[in-house]
Amino acid sequence: GRRRDHGHDRAMLDVFEDGKQAKVNVLAHWTFRDCWDYLEINNVPYHPLHDEGYPSIGDLQSTLPVAKDKWFEYAGERSGRWSGNSKTECGIHTFESKTSELKQ
């Protein structure tokens, strides 16, 4: 889920976002360290790409691995996403802005 520690674009993320597509960001106040600790403590299986250096995936063409010591820094988890691109969100989180653009 979306969290405030993903970077400045999400730093003020609300737990609940009202709108045509309401969103509940239950992990808004968690950090990547909190998430990773939860996985380890509860033996939750994780995606094998984590073992290959990918803490987060943007898209296949522009996501790069990230050194594990950077994963837990502020916005470090997403630092390999959309490398060389100004994009910060995938389409699922830009639904309302895209819908507005289409109506114009």
Side-chain angles (χ1 to χ4, degrees):
R2 296 187 310 153
R3 299 188 321 272
R4 291 180 174 192
D5 76 327
H6 282 154
H8 73 276
D9 289 342
R10 296 182 178 183
M12 301 305 293
L13 184 69
D14 290 325
V15 173
F16 180 77
E17 296 177 78
D18 200 7
K20 290 184 181 183
Q21 183 179 2
K23 297 176 187 174
V24 180
N25 301 301
V26 297
L27 300 177
H29 296 284
W30 282 38
T31 65
F32 189 57
R33 170 54 66 193
D34 294 331
C35 295
W36 199 255
D37 288 347
Y38 182 89
L39 295 178
E40 289 180 336
I41 291 167
N42 294 287
N43 295 315
V44 176
Y46 59 83
H47 199 283
L49 284 175
H50 287 306
D51 291 332
E52 294 182 33
Y54 295 91
S56 181
I57 299 294
D59 62 30
L60 179 64
Q61 295 78 19
S62 63
T63 301
L64 300 173
V66 175
K68 193 153 190 178
D69 63 326
K70 302 245 185 249
W71 285 20
F72 304 104
E73 294 176 1
Y74 181 76
E77 170 194 2
R78 294 170 55 90
S79 62
R81 295 180 84 172
W82 301 294
S83 179
N85 194 325
S86 62
K87 185 175 177 177
T88 61
E89 294 289 349
C90 66
I92 195 168
H93 298 302
T94 58
F95 173 80
E96 286 186 17
S97 62
K98 293 290 183 196
T99 303
S100 297
E101 288 173 17
L102 292 173
K103 289 180 180 177
Q104 294 178 3

